[in-house]
Amino acid sequence: MGNKHSSPVVPHQSREQRVGVNINHNHSAPVSRISLRYHKSQTSLLKSISSHDTLSCEKPSAPPHNHNPNVTHLYPTLTTYTPLTPSISRQDAEARAYSAFLKSFPEYQSTWILDTLRRTDFARLDRTSEIYVDYMGGAQYPESLVRVHGAFLIEAVMGNTHSVSNSSKLSSQYADEARDTVLSFFRAPPGYTVVFTANATAALKLVGEAYPFKSNSGYVLGTDSHNSVHGIREYASRRGAEVHYIPSTSTGGFVLSTAKDILSQHRPQNASSLFALTGLSNISNAKNSLSIIGFASSLGYHTLLDAAALAPSSVISLSETPVDAMVVSFYKMFGYPTGVGALIVKESFLEILERPWFAGGTVGVVQVPGSIFTRTSVLHEQFEDGTINFMTLPAVTDGLRFLSVYLPFLPLRLSCLTHYLVTSLSRLRHDSTGTPVVNILSKLPSRRLKSVGEQSDSGSTISLIFLSAREMIPNSFIEYVAVTSNISLRTGCMCNPGGAASLLGIQDQMEQLYTGVTLKDFERVVGRELGVVRISLGLASNFQDVWKIVIFASSLANSRTRQAFWDTWTNVPIGQAM
């Protein structure tokens, strides 16, 4: 239950053999009127924006009358608009389903600006007929963001930020601008800075390796956390600190009162202790209350927020929730660029960290041979090893400004789509037995959003397993059928073993693991493939995507269709299944 995903299926295996096949986890917006650096880039972007203003339609219409007046200023100026309805060539069933959907979810029309965005910046999804539902794995990038960044790079002359040339000063200027934009996006008060990393995992590792764990300190975290959060326990344990877990509920996350009890029982005494919170689980869909951060701080803990899954669709204000450190990956927020993440951190927290080494860019003077070195005077540079990814930081600035325009509309849209998808999937029954086709394991939203600007109490991820008349259908089979249907989803344990064990009810088997155990060994004990099928929605998702997922699931309710897929799957040569 680590970092592996459904492997290519071995041919000519029996059904029983295939159930035990190893799973390997496949790691399988228009832009706002942002300020750009060069006139050609500005022109390119304005052309992209103008494409939103001149959509082909038969009659103009104003934005919906029921949109939230508090976010009116975020609408780009559109002179015309046609709702995104199925074309005449599409099946009548889809058109009828969309019409019924709008009657059940009239508030969805308040998010029409995202339909416009889908047409202009994510048109490739429709051109390729790919149904992309793996936003928790990585967001799709807006085409205009890539075009603008490409145009900028063609004109800019940028150099390593560790020099003093004009090209280096330019790179440093854009790096500083990116830092300021990150702080502004997350509403950070004075006293915060940004350390750029390769991704959220690298940011978590940076904290783990440098945090001053001691024999009488502790590390507290939730069971339902990403492996990158669990990994910090290795640094804690090696320095003699105790590790304490907050148990997960059967649908992920934790009970707030239980978390408070555990934090209170192990409150810091005479040594530094760290509490790591997962804002949103990448497998269970549970969104933990950020209020626990203030409670932990009041007990004397330093606090760390893993916001990699939370940031893409939720408003985070560090002014309201002043966590000591928070980590994000930008590709999960707006798709591009990959290879850049950030540690958004209080400068006072950075000052207590004890780095176990130094590297290029982090020091001012190094005695060689010898043991003396002096770290650079710029605090964030002490934690940015080597050369930062300076070529892509301008795209981070543009991407955050882009996302800030559409983020207010996203929770409402995803609420509508998630509720529809959950309801539709839950109603599916096998034609031969009348039994359910799926079992949804992840946390479901407790309420339905009604207006733009509201925030959901859960994410937009659905983790489930498919069922035959008598047993669970192997996830690797579901993944095979999805691939043949041009559906991008994910199967496995999502690098979240604690959350997966809670959803699947295998905590007892988890406790029996031994040193050197393999995933295949674990699956033999459990008697089936481990993991779930994960469907996650995001910025470019629309009704047509979720409707096609329902049709896909419906096909597996038909015994003849399912058997035909099964017969083909059992004879797929290695390397061609996936």
Side-chain angles (χ1 to χ4, degrees), residues 290-521:
L290 298 186
S291 66
I292 192 69
I293 291 175
F295 178 80
S297 295
S298 71
L299 296 178
Y301 288 92
H302 289 115
T303 53
L304 172 64
L305 174 62
D306 177 9
L310 182 66
S313 60
S314 300
V315 174
I316 301 174
S317 172
L318 293 177
S319 294
E320 297 177 4
T321 307
V323 66
D324 288 307
M326 181 177 79
V327 303
V328 297
S329 284
F330 295 114
Y331 77 92
K332 290 195 174 184
M333 298 176 68
F334 39 83
Y336 177 87
T338 57
V340 185
L343 176 70
I344 303 101
V345 58
K346 287 182 179 178
E347 293 178 334
S348 59
F349 182 70
L350 280 185
E351 290 172 350
I352 72 162
L353 298 185
E354 303 168 348
R355 301 221 62 192
W357 77 310
F358 62 84
T362 68
V363 289
V365 176
V366 179
Q367 182 188 44
V368 179
S371 59
I372 297 173
F373 68 92
T374 303
R375 297 194 185 276
T376 178
S377 60
V378 181
L379 192 56
H380 65 254
E381 289 183 354
Q382 295 178 16
F383 296 85
E384 291 177 337
D385 301 327
T387 301
I388 58 176
N389 197 346
F390 61 89
M391 286 288 186
T392 61
L393 292 183
V396 170
T397 299
D398 295 342
L400 288 171
R401 291 174 178 170
F402 157 83
L403 185 60
S404 67
V405 173
Y406 299 100
L407 187 57
F409 303 91
L410 195 52
L412 176 60
R413 185 178 189 85
L414 296 179
S415 174
C416 296
L417 295 176
T418 301
H419 276 84
Y420 172 84
L421 187 54
V422 166
T423 301
S424 300
L425 292 176
S426 298
R427 289 175 177 170
L428 293 179
R429 294 293 183 272
H430 284 288
D431 60 349
S432 57
T433 62
T435 55
V437 175
V438 304
N439 181 14
I440 297 176
L441 305 174
S442 53
K443 181 178 177 59
L444 302 179
S446 63
R447 62 188 178 88
R448 180 172 142 187
L449 304 188
K450 293 293 186 179
S451 62
V452 172
E454 289 186 88
Q455 296 295 302
S456 177
D457 62 352
S458 67
S460 53
T461 293
I462 301 172
S463 291
L464 51 89
I465 57 175
F466 280 77
L467 306 170
S468 67
R470 297 178 302 278
E471 59 191 352
M472 170 186 166
I473 300 176
N475 292 332
S476 51
F477 169 69
I478 299 300
E479 192 168 41
Y480 165 73
V481 179
V483 168
T484 63
S485 304
N486 290 338
I487 295 175
S488 293
L489 47 73
R490 184 167 167 180
T491 67
C493 294
M494 317 305 159
C495 302
N496 187 332
S502 297
L503 296 187
L504 296 170
I506 56 172
Q507 296 96 325
D508 290 344
Q509 291 92 329
M510 178 73 78
E511 291 179 358
Q512 298 171 17
L513 294 184
Y514 49 88
T515 301
V517 65
T518 66
L519 181 57
K520 218 166 192 178
D521 295 333

Side-chain angles (χ1 to χ4, degrees), residues 37-38 152 158 170-178 393-394 397:
R37 302 130 193 99
Y38 289 90
F152 163 69
M158 300 175 69
L170 192 64
S171 297
S172 296
Q173 173 189 332
Y174 295 142
D176 290 340
E177 181 183 19
L393 292 183
T397 299

Side-chain angles (χ1 to χ4, degrees), residues 3 27 201 204 221-231 278 282 306 332 494-497:
N3 303 328
H27 293 278
T201 291
L204 290 166
L221 68 160
T223 300
D224 184 6
S225 299
H226 193 275
N227 274 337
S228 301
V229 177
H230 293 302
T278 295
N282 69 329
D306 177 9
K332 290 195 174 184
M494 317 305 159
C495 302
N496 187 332

